[in-house]
Amino acid sequence: YGSTYVDSRSRANPYPLSTLARNKSLKNLATLRLHPGRDTEIDIDELDALLKSKNLPALRHLQVHMTTFGDAERLVASGILKRLKTLDVGYGNMTDDGARLLAASPDLKNLESLNVSRNALTPSGVRALLATGVQVAADAQHAGDETD
């Protein structure tokens, strides 16, 4: 769980993920769980640094909770889905557009499980993910913009 960290630029940042991404000693890290809590959030640029890091080649299980930056474009574009076995992006604001983007990624088939619980998916978005054959958890969705 996150707590406010103040970096050298005096900017509050609950997860200095770019620092983590640069750490060469993490080459064997297989599981990373990020859950910032109610009063903090994960900065999108910090997450990008982590997703694109060459220093985390063994990462297979990623949990990124309580994001506020929306859909899955950065996850798909980063290439991280090629090596992940589990992905948990629960407690966010992913919509059906994000679900369709994930479902269309050929790299999604590498996942053993995907958790999109507590996002903003409609039954249509959940069906798109289930149609991929990946084990999907999609409980307790909150109101989204699309209707089914």
Side-chain angles (χ1 to χ4, degrees):
Y1 290 94
S3 60
T4 301
Y5 164 81
V6 179
D7 68 14
S8 61
R9 297 173 302 246
S10 298
R11 181 175 62 112
N13 186 347
Y15 283 100
L17 297 179
S18 56
T19 301
L20 182 77
R22 289 189 303 269
N23 189 334
K24 293 179 182 181
S25 70
L26 297 177
K27 66 181 180 186
N28 296 320
L29 182 71
T31 302
L32 182 59
R33 294 185 178 106
L34 306 170
H35 188 97
R38 289 186 305 221
D39 299 327
T40 57
E41 65 183 53
I42 295 172
D43 180 81
I44 190 65
D45 293 329
E46 292 289 311
L47 181 63
D48 273 348
L50 180 83
L51 294 175
K52 296 174 183 177
S53 175
K54 303 292 184 203
N55 295 322
L56 298 165
L59 188 63
R60 299 294 178 265
H61 310 280
L62 179 61
Q63 176 189 72
V64 184
H65 279 180
M66 299 186 76
T67 59
T68 59
F69 41 80
D71 292 324
E73 301 123 60
R74 292 179 189 242
L75 285 169
V76 171
S78 72
I80 199 164
L81 294 174
K82 292 176 183 171
R83 66 180 195 268
L84 290 181
K85 295 298 177 194
T86 64
L87 175 61
D88 180 348
V89 288
Y91 298 88
N93 59 359
M94 182 185 296
T95 65
D96 287 356
D97 289 340
R100 285 189 287 270
L101 184 65
L102 274 176
S105 172
D107 297 327
L108 192 73
K109 71 182 181 308
N110 297 320
L111 291 182
E112 295 169 359
S113 68
L114 171 64
N115 187 341
V116 292
S117 296
R118 298 184 182 274
N119 273 279
L121 302 178
T122 68
S124 176
V126 174
R127 279 194 303 273
L129 292 170
L130 290 170
T132 66
V134 172
Q135 179 182 339
V136 176
D139 303 322
Q141 298 299 312
H142 53 80
D145 294 336
E146 297 182 31
T147 59
D148 191 43

